[in-house]
Amino acid sequence: MGFARTCSVALVGVEGVVVEVQADLEPGVAAFTLVGLPDKSLTESRDRVRAAVVNSDAEWPQKKLTVGLSPASVPKGGSGFDLAVAAAVLGAAERVDPRAIADLVLIGELGLDGRVRPVRGVLPAVLAAAEAGYRQVVVPEQTAGEAALVPGVSVLGVRTLRQLIAVLADEPVPEEEPDEAGRPDAMLAGLLVPGAGVGTGLSHDPADAPDLADVAGQRAARVALEVAAAGGHHLLLSGPPGAGKTMLAERLPSILPPLTRQEALEVTAVHSVAGILPPGEPLVRRPPYCAPHHSATMQSLVGGGNGLPRPGAVSLAHRGVLFLDEAPEFSGKALDALRQPLEAGHVVVARSAGVVRLPARFLMVLAANPCPCGRHTLHGAGCECPASVIRRYQARLSGPLLDRVDLRVEVEPVSRADLLGQGGRGESTETVAARVLDARARAAARLDGTPWNVNCEVPGHELRTRWQVAPGALAPAERDIERGLLTARGLDRVLRVAWTLADLAGRDRPGPDDVHLALELRTGIARGVPMTVGEAL
């Protein structure tokens, strides 16, 4: 009788659970039994592992073989357990020393010829292994760079099972023939979800990103964009078609600061699980940008799918920008499903296979036309939409959802002078990004030692008691509350925006002008304050 054990990782959403893979050999009729709540793809690993072992010049044990995955109560799926199952079987058959694999974490799919194929979710799997105290992992060669992002873990990348056997048995490692030059690596197909598209949810490279100076006019919208980037505030751009709403939203990721190391790991883990991490770029360093079509379902926005839920658009936009163009055209249920992640910074999706918690702290940008034809606010443009149709169209953005939007800006049609460049070009992305970075640094210094990093995360109670504005500055906000123009949540969000405006201006705390401008950005009611960062601040 032979027994061996090793480890792998089961992913539940973007969180991993270390699974012990045990193999037991007993005398009897040759059979292979796999237990431990495996799904269909994992059950099929019996045939893949048997063929891979035989084709790797190793002898398959002709005994009763039982492979158990523990803990048995955790659902396990995917082909990433193949490598661990093969190692456990070889350890039980004494082809390799069982002690050599006892403390290893092995992740990878096996081809019938013994090649080790890459799988999705390597980064969160290795993170889970490191948190559990494991320090040695074996992964496919193509994902070794992704696994190496986790500090304190020794990573071995293998191309074939034959190489792994040689390393474990302390034998000469065979040289594997590389793929033919010029041909795409078919092994990378396992990293991408069909239909997802490479780069979905990822922003432009800074060198190729569109410049904010390309936007003609739109002074108020540019101010709102800068404030949104500096404080992480959600933004609504409302205006006729062709005014530049989409152009502004597409340039928002380029003025956001680069991701910190921890944020980059979080974003990379989500994209790795979703199967849209670009090969050869193991770490996502820029804030992601996700712009789903208005026909997107609620499941595609917040997460879902058969079995355990997969990350949706809100998770793909984690630490970045979620742009909903033609927002009123989205399903009402899909839009209302955004309310919980907007407040909590994560989304909890419950399905019959289990409950998954996915990260979803994003900056939301909504773009909306004033009416179905888009010409309602234009003078002499011939809008023929009835008043009742306009009201129903605008009511598709519910009050509870809009109450969570800090900035609301009317995007006016571009004038001829601005369009032809007679009014001068606006500031470039580089200039605005530098101010945003300085404002973020001031906020981070103020919030040092707290669980918050940017102004949009600070609770209203803390802003009203711990960090107070200048005396008398809140008088206009208090009047708006009495008149019903501002809710309690709205007051908290006005305070957050005021602090962001103060950070952009380099002031120690918000003054009356900051609160006035924050109220104007919140309610859309003019307060007599210039809508320009340079003049107002």
Side-chain angles (χ1 to χ4, degrees):
M1 183 180 69
F3 177 83
R5 66 179 181 86
T6 188
C7 293
S8 191
V9 178
L11 288 178
V12 183
V14 294
E15 298 177 355
V17 179
V18 176
V19 173
E20 188 176 73
V21 181
Q22 303 172 339
D24 178 69
L25 284 175
E26 296 181 356
V29 178
F32 189 172
T33 304
L34 183 64
V35 298
L37 209 59
D39 71 349
K40 180 66 174 176
S41 61
L42 182 51
T43 302
E44 292 175 349
S45 68
R46 295 178 298 185
D47 300 319
R48 293 194 299 269
V49 170
R50 182 187 291 109
V53 169
V54 173
N55 290 323
S56 298
D57 301 328
E59 183 180 353
W60 183 260
Q62 298 301 317
K63 296 181 179 181
K64 181 182 179 181
L65 171 62
T66 303
V67 174
L69 308 175
S70 179
S73 59
V74 176
K76 305 167 191 71
S79 56
F81 291 88
D82 289 2
L83 199 59
V85 172
V89 171
L90 293 171
E94 298 183 352
R95 175 62 180 86
V96 299
D97 188 353
R99 293 173 298 180
I101 62 174
D103 295 327
L104 282 182
V105 175
L106 299 103
I107 305 164
E109 176 186 335
L110 285 175
L112 300 183
D113 57 354
R115 290 190 298 174
V116 182
R117 304 180 65 90
V119 294
R120 299 186 298 271
V122 166
L123 176 59
V126 177
L127 283 171
E131 292 176 359
Y134 291 88
R135 292 294 174 261
Q136 291 182 313
V137 298
V138 179
V139 298
E141 186 179 66
Q142 293 86 346
T143 57
E146 183 180 344
L149 296 174
V150 182
V153 176
S154 175
V155 178
L156 172 63
V158 295
R159 180 169 283 270
T160 64
L161 179 60
R162 188 182 293 106
Q163 288 183 337
L164 177 61
I165 294 174
V167 171
L168 296 176
D170 198 18
E171 299 172 354
V173 179
E175 291 290 338
E176 301 293 342
E177 295 183 3
D179 294 335
E180 185 178 339
R183 295 183 59 184
D185 191 351
M187 305 281 280
L188 297 177
L191 296 177
L192 302 176
V193 174
V198 179
T200 301
L202 299 180
S203 58
H204 298 280
D205 184 89
D208 302 327
D211 199 331
L212 191 59
D214 297 336
V215 179
Q218 306 303 351
R219 180 174 296 182
R222 291 171 62 97
V223 171
L225 205 70
E226 182 175 342
V227 174
H233 307 289
H234 306 305
L235 172 64
L236 168 63
L237 299 173
S238 179
K245 302 186 293 295
T246 303
M247 287 185 65
L248 288 163
E250 289 176 343
R251 284 152 178 77
L252 179 55
S254 59
I255 65 175
L256 291 173
L259 299 176
T260 64
R261 175 74 178 184
Q262 180 60 36
E263 292 172 345
L265 289 176
E266 294 175 6
V267 174
T268 303
V270 174
H271 285 76
S272 178
V273 170
I276 57 176
L277 191 63
E281 299 180 14
L283 187 64
V284 178
R285 303 179 184 276
R286 297 293 307 173
Y289 174 80
C290 192
H293 192 261
H294 62 256
S295 62
T297 62
M298 181 176 67
Q299 289 76 14
S300 66
L301 282 181
V302 300
N306 297 327
L308 286 174
R310 299 186 62 81
V314 296
S315 296
L316 297 179
H318 179 59
R319 301 295 182 184
V321 177
L322 176 67
F323 176 48
L324 301 183
D325 199 5
E326 305 291 345
E329 300 294 343
F330 280 79
S331 163
K333 291 183 179 180
L335 290 176
D336 287 337
L338 299 176
R339 286 151 57 178
Q340 187 256 344
L342 284 174
E343 288 288 336
H346 63 267
V347 59
V348 178
V349 184
R351 294 292 184 269
S352 59
V355 180
V356 171
R357 183 181 185 273
L358 299 169
R361 187 168 295 283
F362 55 89
L363 196 165
M364 182 180 68
V365 180
L366 302 174
N369 293 327
C371 67
C373 75
R375 300 190 297 269
H376 175 60
T377 56
L378 299 178
H379 298 291
C383 174
E384 298 179 354
C385 299
S388 58
V389 173
I390 296 175
R391 286 195 300 270
R392 284 197 301 268
Y393 183 80
Q394 295 178 349
R396 292 180 182 178
L397 298 178
S398 66
L401 176 65
L402 291 180
D403 201 35
R404 291 167 169 82
V405 177
D406 303 348
L407 311 171
R408 307 174 191 176
V409 178
E410 291 287 338
V411 182
E412 300 294 339
V414 183
S415 66
R416 183 181 63 179
D418 289 331
L419 189 60
L420 298 178
Q422 298 173 1
R425 287 171 57 89
E427 292 179 311
S428 66
T429 294
E430 184 179 359
T431 302
V432 177
R435 283 203 302 266
V436 169
L437 189 61
D438 290 341
R440 287 271 184 124
R442 293 188 186 96
R446 182 174 64 254
L447 300 174
D448 186 32
T450 70
W452 315 296
N453 299 313
V454 290
N455 292 325
C456 70
E457 301 174 1
V458 184
H461 172 74
E462 297 289 337
L463 293 176
R464 293 191 298 270
T465 58
R466 185 173 178 180
W467 293 293
Q468 297 183 358
V469 301
L474 278 181
E478 295 170 356
R479 289 195 297 269
D480 282 1
I481 291 180
E482 293 176 355
R483 293 188 295 173
L485 298 176
L486 202 63
T487 64
R489 180 191 289 121
L491 175 62
D492 292 343
R493 294 183 177 275
V494 166
L495 287 174
R496 295 171 183 172
V497 174
W499 273 104
T500 300
L501 292 169
D503 289 334
L504 285 169
R507 286 195 281 269
D508 293 335
R509 58 177 177 173
D513 286 348
D514 297 317
V515 176
H516 275 86
L517 185 52
L519 282 169
E520 183 170 345
L521 290 170
R522 168 77 183 182
T523 63
I525 301 175
R527 309 281 171 155
V529 180
M531 186 66 74
T532 303
V533 173
E535 297 175 8
L537 306 182

